[in-house]
């Protein structure tokens, strides 16, 4: 079928008001026209063009032969043609064109062909029915009382980077997420997102047949249980005909699952897949599992899922966190990705900065996700999910620069080969200005920011030495009686008089063995193990000689200090950006960077002074010495829940 729409629009400007609040995200083109009222995804594509495009005529054309959601943009003789196999492809093509316009790039003589790497590019919201957001640092849930104007910006922002799915509720799912009342709310949201090509999904509580349905069991092989799920799924599809499917956290951190009834993950996932199949729905079944008894949390996903490889229905995708433990500043990739050969898999990244300074630290996550893709072939995955960092704060993400992580997630889900530099460049030009005096230095800050965070928090392979509960600051000593070992930092850092680090070699927990041979050999041997994951795999002696020639202890000290210096440099760079940024955003970012520099010192001093009680070695003379005192820091606690962003970090 061929349909063509000609659009002629004139006049265009990028907003440059003096005080911006960040609510427009990277979509800062001003409307130049009032669009006619049209419906559907194609209608949205036309509306966006009519409203914002300042160039010559554009033809939107449905064309067979292109993969779904892909598009071409060709322009000759002043006319631009966007062609796609489906309406969503047309919409993505329109956003591409508008992006070029907003960045001030040439919009003529175009010959562009874009095809997404994954059919499913999906946000996971950890939003609770009471409006709190687990690990949410940007206010409350946007879905609690959805404001149509905000929902429109949310939908536009997602579609502008190709995100086409959203899970509305927390993986720690309440049974009431499936109550008729909540389903009506989900329907209302689905209706608002559908014109932007976005489908909704829900996280489910595996025990819903009992806790919501009043049945005696939730055994996935029980006929009554299956009937309950069928009825529930039918109810959902009556309300939301294009409903995407379920996300499931089962038998993990206290959530119910099929193992409670003597069944396997495959039994549970396949039962749900069976009831969703007639509606073309899918199951995203998470592999985030670990038990307190195991000798190594990092081993457990492979231990539980490898025996099930090949047993999952074809509309089940196993959703695996990028690393084997839990969204740490640096982890090696989860070995399940290369071990499983017969099961569709998707990666789960965490956009919200649970372990990376919440909404206070500027940490651009594209380099971390690109690092993952340097180990795991993008083509070996079916889809990409990201735990959203979105709330009802005016600027959506709590920190203006955290918006870049939402943007980066979408761009990488579309094309995992885009470089961090390109993503940062695009985002800065759209969100702030195309002035190179801002773009160049801030691009460098963004690209360097993840490594800086690793340096001041957990260099050389250290992991999970966060404060208990909210995970904001350092607490390598946190080990209260009665808390399960794998929720305490000493389980991970294993500091003693000999050295530091978790022996995951074949002499330890043999986690290294879960990797393909070449990597296994590299990781298993301390002299070949990359230093950036050294204490992840080895218990490293304090006097071990590093590649720099320093002892391990001295290197550790220097890495922490490098991190502090880097954040101070970021602040200094931002301070010089004042002429190019509106006052409000300038001040807000500056305040956050000040918190970050102080937090970096806190991390360095707390960790080094604490580890020094084991190493008994001096802090090297040629670096800045701790400015705090360990006793004071050990008494200091930030009393916040896992639903809040700290107003500031260490403040003694
Ligand atoms: C939604 C970590 C987080 C939890 C989160 C869990 C998960 O443990 O701290 O808040 O729960 O991961 O991903 O399921």
């Amino acid at each position: 079928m061929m349909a063509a729409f000609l659009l002629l629009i004139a006049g265009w400007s990028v907003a440059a008001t003096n005080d911006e609040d960040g609510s427009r995200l990277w979509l800062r083109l001003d409307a130049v026209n009032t669009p006619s009222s049209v419906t559907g995804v194609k209608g949205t594509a036309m509306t966006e063009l009519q409203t914002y495009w300042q160039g010559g005529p554009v033809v939107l054309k449905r064309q067979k032969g292109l993969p779904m959601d892909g598009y071409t943009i060709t322009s000759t003789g002043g006319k631009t043609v966007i062609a796609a196999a489906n309406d969503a492809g047309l919409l993505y093509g329109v956003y591409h064109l508008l992006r070029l316009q907003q960045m001030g790039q040439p919009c003529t003589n175009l010959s562009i062909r874009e095809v997404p790497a994954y059919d499913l590019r999906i946000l996971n919201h950890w939003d609770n029915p009471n409006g709190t957001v687990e690990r949410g640092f940007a206010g409350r849930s946007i879905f609690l009382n959805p404001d149509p104007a905000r929902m429109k910006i949310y939908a536009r922002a997602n579609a502008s980077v190709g995100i086409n799915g959203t899970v509305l509720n927390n993986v720690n799912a309440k049974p009431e997420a499936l109550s008729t009342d909540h389903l009506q709310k989900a329907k209302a949201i689905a209706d608002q997102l559908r014109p932007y090509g976005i489908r909704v999904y829900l996280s489910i509580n595996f025990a819903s047949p009992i806790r919501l349905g009043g049945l005696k069991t939730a055994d996935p092989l029980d006929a009554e249980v299956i009937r309950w799920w069928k009825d529930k799924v039918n109810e959902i599809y009556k309300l939301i005909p294009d409903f995407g499917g379920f996300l499931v956290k089962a038998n993990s951190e206290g959530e119910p699952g099929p193992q409670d009834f003597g069944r396997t993950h495959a039994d549970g996932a396949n039962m749900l897949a069976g009831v969703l199949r007639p509606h073309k729905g899918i199951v995203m079944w998470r592999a985030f599992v670990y038990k307190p008894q195991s000798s190594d949390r990092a081993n457990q996903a492979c231990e539980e899922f490898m025996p099930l490889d090949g047993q999952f229905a074809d509309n089940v995708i196993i959703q695996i966190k990028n690393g084997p433990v839990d969204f740490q500043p640096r982890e090696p990739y989860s070995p399940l990705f290369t071990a499983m050969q017969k099961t569709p898999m998707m990666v789960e990244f965490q956009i919200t900065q649970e372990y990376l300074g919440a909404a206070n630290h500027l940490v651009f996550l594209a380099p971390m996700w690109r690092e993952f893709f340097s180990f795991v072939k993008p083509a070996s995955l079916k889809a990409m999910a990201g735990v959203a960092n979105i709330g009802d704060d005016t600027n959506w993400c709590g920190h203006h620069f955290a918006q870049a992580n939402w943007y980066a997630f979408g761009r990488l889900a579309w094309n995992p080969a885009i470089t961090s530099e390109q993503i940062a460049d695009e985002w800065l030009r759209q969100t702030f200005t195309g002035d190179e005096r801002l773009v160049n230095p801030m691009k460098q800050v963004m690209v360097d920011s993840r490594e800086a965070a690793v340096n001041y928090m957990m260099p050389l392979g250290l992991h999970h030495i966060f404060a208990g509960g909210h995970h904001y600051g350092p607490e390598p000593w946190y080990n209260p009686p009665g808390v399960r070992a794998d929720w305490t930092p000493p389980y991970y850092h294993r500091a003693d008089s000999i050295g530091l680090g978790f022996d995951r070699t074949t002499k330890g927990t043999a986690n290294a063995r879960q990797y393909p041979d070449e990597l296994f050999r590299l990781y298993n041997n301390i002299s070949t193990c990359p230093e950036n994951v050294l204490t992840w795999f080895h218990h490293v002696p304090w006097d071990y000689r590093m590649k720099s020639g320093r002892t391990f202890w001295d290197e550790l000290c220097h890495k922490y200090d490098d991190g502090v210096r880097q954040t101070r440099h970021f602040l200094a760079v931002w301070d010089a950006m004042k002429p190019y940024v509106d006052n409000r955003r300038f001040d807000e970012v500056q305040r956050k960077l000040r918190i970050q520099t102080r937090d970096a010192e806190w991390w360095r001093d707390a960790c080094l002074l604490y580890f020094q009680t084991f190493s008994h070695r001096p802090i090297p003379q040629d670096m800045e010495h701790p400015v705090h005192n360990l006793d004071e820091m050990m008494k200091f606690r930030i009393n916040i829940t896992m639903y809040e962003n700290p107003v500031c970090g260490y403040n003694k």
Side-chain angles (χ1 to χ4, degrees):
M1 186 190 81
M2 295 259 290
F5 291 84
L6 208 60
L7 295 140
L8 281 158
I9 298 122
W12 160 81
S13 71
V14 174
T17 56
N18 202 26
D19 255 341
E20 293 199 40
D21 59 13
S23 60
R24 296 205 289 176
L25 296 159
W26 49 91
L27 300 167
R28 292 170 54 256
L29 288 173
D30 282 331
V32 289
N33 219 333
T34 311
S36 45
S37 164
V38 271
T39 55
V41 177
K42 188 164 188 173
T44 309
M46 292 165 61
T47 305
E48 290 289 304
L49 269 178
Q50 285 178 346
T51 315
Y52 300 107
W53 175 241
Q54 64 110 40
V58 178
V59 178
L60 301 183
K61 190 168 88 174
R62 284 278 290 267
Q63 184 176 296
K64 288 200 178 111
L66 277 162
M68 294 307 267
D69 293 357
Y71 57 86
T72 57
I73 308 179
T74 23
S75 52
T76 36
K79 190 173 93 176
T80 304
V81 178
I82 301 178
N86 60 342
D87 290 348
L90 294 177
L91 181 62
Y92 300 139
V94 166
Y95 280 123
H96 190 137
L97 201 56
L98 292 174
R99 180 162 66 232
L100 294 179
Q101 172 181 278
Q102 195 178 341
M103 292 194 302
Q105 292 192 353
C107 295
T108 50
N109 298 325
L110 299 174
S111 175
I112 292 165
R113 184 177 190 276
E114 283 280 341
V115 173
Y118 304 117
D119 294 342
L120 182 55
R121 308 171 292 276
I122 186 164
L123 286 180
N124 290 185
H125 288 264
W126 285 356
D127 294 16
N128 296 315
N130 66 2
T132 55
V133 180
E134 184 154 344
R135 311 306 177 184
F137 310 112
R140 289 168 64 77
S141 171
I142 56 167
F143 301 129
L144 187 61
N145 297 302
D147 162 27
R150 289 274 289 188
M151 288 309 286
K152 186 173 168 187
I153 299 175
Y154 170 79
R156 291 183 70 223
N158 282 327
S160 76
V161 288
I163 293 169
N164 65 354
T166 184
V167 182
L168 301 179
N169 61 319
N170 193 351
V171 286
N172 292 331
K174 305 278 182 235
E176 70 247 42
L178 293 181
S179 69
T180 303
D181 190 34
H182 277 90
L183 293 180
Q184 291 286 357
K185 288 187 181 158
K187 174 200 161 32
I189 296 166
D191 289 346
Q192 291 175 74
L193 301 183
R194 187 172 299 112
Y196 294 83
I198 301 166
R199 290 172 135 196
V200 304
Y201 299 73
L202 290 171
S203 297
I204 58 123
N205 181 297
F206 199 79
S208 298
I210 304 174
R211 292 169 61 187
L212 190 65
L215 302 191
K216 287 203 170 56
T217 178
D219 179 348
L221 302 192
D222 180 280
E224 254 195 279
V225 170
I226 300 172
R227 191 163 330 111
W228 187 89
W229 280 111
K230 267 192 188 147
D231 291 347
K232 190 44 81 179
V233 163
N234 286 338
E235 182 188 349
I236 297 174
Y237 278 92
K238 270 201 196 100
L239 292 167
I240 310 171
D242 57 352
F243 178 69
F246 292 146
L247 171 64
V248 192
K249 172 175 177 177
N251 294 119
S252 165
E253 298 188 326
E255 294 302 310
Q259 293 172 351
D260 304 344
F261 309 94
R263 311 296 182 192
T264 66
H265 287 290
D267 293 330
N270 293 347
M271 181 276 290
L272 292 171
V275 299
L276 286 161
R277 176 172 287 108
H279 307 277
K280 299 195 169 56
I282 62 162
V283 175
M284 293 163 288
W285 191 271
R286 294 175 92 226
F288 178 66
V289 291
Y290 62 105
K291 296 196 168 63
Q293 307 84 340
S294 166
S295 61
D296 188 355
R297 175 170 167 182
N299 281 345
Q300 295 187 53
C302 276
E303 286 168 358
E304 256 184 67
F305 278 83
M306 283 311 293
L308 303 173
D309 192 15
Q311 291 183 26
F312 290 93
D314 59 7
N315 57 336
V316 174
I317 311 180
I318 302 301
Q319 181 165 316
I320 310 167
K321 290 188 182 185
N322 56 292
V325 169
D326 193 12
F327 299 136
Q328 298 301 290
R330 169 166 282 118
E331 292 187 52
Y333 76 89
S334 167
L336 192 55
F337 285 110
T338 38
M340 284 219 289
Q341 296 291 320
K342 293 178 269 180
T343 302
M345 296 174 289
M346 61 195 283
V347 61
E348 175 181 318
F349 292 128
Q350 194 179 43
I351 309 171
T352 190
Q353 291 168 233
E354 173 181 355
Y355 295 104
L356 281 155
N360 286 343
H361 293 198
L362 190 168
V363 185
F364 180 49
L365 299 175
M368 179 158 90
W369 301 334
R370 292 271 299 148
E371 185 173 292
F372 168 84
F373 283 120
S374 71
F375 290 93
V376 176
K377 286 198 195 83
S380 65
L381 306 178
K382 289 283 280 188
M384 195 163 135
V387 181
N389 61 351
I390 299 161
D392 69 357
D393 273 7
T394 305
N395 71 15
W396 295 91
C397 302
H399 191 312
H400 292 287
F401 275 78
Q403 297 176 357
N405 291 328
W406 177 4
Y407 183 88
F409 169 77
R411 297 291 284 131
L412 287 173
W414 183 275
N415 179 3
I418 309 182
T419 63
S420 305
E421 287 79 2
Q422 182 184 330
I423 298 169
D425 189 281
E426 284 178 8
W427 179 80
L428 284 164
R429 286 176 198 278
Q430 293 169 87
T431 307
F432 288 102
T433 170
D435 193 320
E436 307 295 337
R437 289 168 296 181
L438 178 135
V439 172
N440 290 332
M442 284 314 294
K443 182 164 51 180
Q444 197 59 50
V445 165
M446 289 172 76
V447 169
D448 292 343
S449 60
R450 185 274 183 135
E451 202 60 40
V454 170
N455 286 340
Y456 66 73
M457 289 182 176
M458 276 162 262
L460 304 174
L462 286 174
H463 51 289
H464 229 311
I465 56 175
F466 295 93
H470 53 69
H471 297 157
Y472 184 74
E475 234 176 78
W477 50 83
Y478 175 78
N479 195 9
V483 173
R484 56 187 270 189
D486 55 358
W487 285 351
T488 69
Y491 172 94
Y492 297 97
H493 64 64
R494 306 204 169 201
D496 59 19
S497 60
I498 295 163
L500 183 65
F502 197 135
D503 185 355
R504 293 194 165 103
T505 69
T506 39
K507 294 199 186 98
T509 63
N511 170 258
R513 193 55 280 187
Q514 292 185 342
Y515 289 86
D517 281 349
E518 205 181 316
L519 278 176
F520 158 62
R521 283 194 295 273
L522 197 74
Y523 292 151
N524 202 49
N525 181 340
I526 193 167
S527 58
T528 56
C529 184
E531 290 186 347
N532 63 10
V533 288
L534 198 60
T535 65
W536 183 282
F537 287 108
H538 297 270
H539 191 66
V540 186
W542 297 114
D543 286 329
Y544 178 76
R545 196 55 62 187
M546 302 291 284
K547 293 197 178 72
S548 63
R550 295 185 180 123
T551 64
F552 168 68
W553 166 251
D554 283 3
E555 185 81 354
L556 186 72
C557 294
H558 276 282
K559 283 282 177 201
Y560 271 109
D561 198 46
D562 288 350
V564 172
R565 286 167 201 273
Q566 282 169 292
T567 53
R568 287 180 188 155
H569 170 69
F570 299 160
L571 175 60
V573 173
W574 183 254
D575 284 346
M577 294 300 112
K578 194 163 174 53
Y580 319 115
V581 185
D582 55 283
N583 293 333
R584 176 168 174 173
R585 289 190 298 170
F586 177 80
D587 289 347
E588 288 175 354
V589 171
Q590 188 183 53
R591 181 174 172 272
K592 298 268 181 186
L593 281 165
R594 286 179 179 155
I595 295 175
Q596 187 173 359
T597 51
R598 201 172 50 190
D599 283 351
E601 279 177 15
W602 175 28
W603 271 98
R604 178 196 62 192
D605 295 1
C607 294
L608 290 183
L609 291 173
Y610 170 72
F611 290 137
Q612 195 178 30
T613 64
F614 298 92
S615 79
H616 301 294
R617 281 151 177 81
I619 308 274
Q621 276 311 321
D622 57 344
M623 61 170 264
E624 184 179 289
H625 279 220
V627 294
H628 299 111
N629 158 314
L630 181 60
D631 285 344
E632 273 171 20
M633 280 186 291
M634 287 180 79
K635 282 188 212 125
F636 178 77
R637 274 199 66 79
I638 295 183
N639 290 317
I640 50 161
T641 63
M642 59 166 110
Y643 314 111
E644 294 165 80
N645 187 52
V647 276
C648 64
Y650 189 74
N651 58 9
K652 292 281 171 212

